[in-house]
Amino acid sequence: MDETVAIIGGGIAGAGVAYHLSEHTEASITVFERNAIGAETTARSTAVFRQMGDSELDPMKRYAMRLYNEFLADPRATPRYDPIGRLELATDDEHAAPLRAAEPSVGAYVEGEELAAITPVPELETDAVTGALYDPNAGIFSPVELTHEFVERASENGVEFLSNTEVTDIETDDGGVTAVRTASERHPTTRVVCAAGPWNLALGRLVGLELPLRHTLAPIARLEPTEALPHPLPNIKHGASGYYFLGQPDGTVLVGHAPGSYADAGTEYD
């Protein structure tokens, strides 16, 4: 059998994997999505793109920056990018210390009233801020639009996308994958890529694997101000509590929280 790849999950991860595989291999690639393309966790993402974060992810983020710039420079491309900036704030010395030590490439370190000199956020009580990291280039994508950009480019390379097609089983023989099954068909394959986010745990169990994956729910409240803000609100995160605020192009404001660590996270997802 010629090499075939079944990618389970049609969000931005699955679409991105499909695009890159189609650029670098001759394999026959099919993406299986149980819903509409990009309609599950991808559609619920705040889609903040920035360089702040874990240093282990820096190479991936730098690559993504180059790739997204290629997309945005293409007259055919449709994804929107709104550079709203990002502030990570500390209100005590303990949380200010790592911000102060951050590499200049991920943001400018400022203290207290200095914030007023670099970003227009008059609502911010600078007296309470002991330190902040400001990245003016951070912004937000439309995650579904970006997903469809990958889909369009992958499709041009011959990738098949099957939406509303849930994988119900993965067949194996002598330790190797032989097929994936949907409710109506059996699809022979030599490789499977699980790109279904929190559902990857259940997919792994189909072949007897207990993957070391965890996830936490990150609730988001959407606020609609009675009066439009006179200026865009950047992405603001309070390091000690984990709460963040994010202005949207339509004037609404998202308030969210991503609690917990790997040890505290769950293993089940409905």
Side-chain angles (χ1 to χ4, degrees), residues 30 43 46 71 85 87 137 187 220 237 266:
T30 304
T46 57
F71 286 2
L87 278 170
N137 295 316
H187 299 261
I220 300 173
K237 180 181 179 182

Side-chain angles (χ1 to χ4, degrees), residues 8-255:
I8 306 174
I12 193 165
V17 169
Y19 164 73
H20 285 89
L21 283 177
S22 71
E23 287 281 293
H24 299 288
T25 76
E26 297 298 324
S28 174
I29 302 165
T30 304
V31 178
F32 298 84
E33 168 54 49
R34 69 177 189 175
N35 204 322
I37 297 296
E40 302 248 21
T41 54
T42 294
R44 293 164 176 79
S45 169
T46 57
V48 176
F49 185 73
R50 64 190 190 279
Q51 285 188 247
M52 292 183 188
D54 297 333
S55 59
E56 292 83 358
L57 297 179
D58 282 351
M60 183 182 295
K61 290 183 178 182
R62 293 180 186 278
Y63 170 77
M65 184 81 75
R66 293 193 299 271
L67 181 65
Y68 295 163
N69 274 326
E70 290 178 14
F71 286 2
L72 295 172
D74 189 336
R76 302 175 305 159
T78 58
R80 301 188 310 274
Y81 181 70
D82 296 293
I84 60 174
R86 186 176 191 272
L87 278 170
E88 185 163 347
L89 304 178
T91 50
D92 58 67
D93 291 337
E94 178 185 355
H95 289 88
L99 301 183
R100 191 178 297 113
E103 294 290 333
S105 61
V106 301
Y109 178 77
V110 292
E111 296 181 343
E113 294 182 357
E114 292 179 75
L115 285 173
I118 63 169
T119 179
V121 191
E123 299 85 359
L124 190 63
E125 296 184 12
T126 57
D127 291 344
V129 178
T130 58
L133 205 59
Y134 177 56
D135 179 4
N137 295 316
I140 53 177
F141 277 102
S142 163
V144 177
E145 288 179 357
L146 190 56
T147 298
H148 280 280
E149 189 67 30
F150 279 116
V151 169
E152 181 176 343
R153 292 166 185 269
S155 297
E156 290 174 354
N157 291 342
V159 176
E160 182 180 14
F161 287 82
L162 301 179
S163 59
N164 301 304
T165 306
E166 182 174 5
V167 170
T168 58
D169 198 10
I170 301 173
E171 296 182 7
T172 62
D173 181 40
D174 196 25
V177 173
T178 56
V180 296
R181 282 192 176 275
T182 66
S184 60
E185 290 186 80
R186 179 182 184 274
H187 299 261
T189 189
T190 58
R191 298 278 190 269
V192 170
V193 177
C194 293
W199 296 282
N200 283 339
L201 280 166
L203 292 171
R205 289 167 184 156
L206 292 176
V207 293
L209 294 177
E210 194 65 35
L211 301 174
L213 301 177
R214 300 290 185 271
H215 53 267
T216 57
L217 294 178
I220 300 173
R222 185 181 185 91
L223 307 181
E224 298 182 1
T226 55
E227 296 183 8
L229 294 175
H231 52 80
L233 185 68
N235 176 208
I236 302 174
K237 180 181 179 182
H238 182 231
S241 67
Y243 281 94
Y244 65 84
F245 301 84
L246 179 61
Q248 299 287 282
D250 63 2
T252 59
V253 177
L254 304 182
V255 181

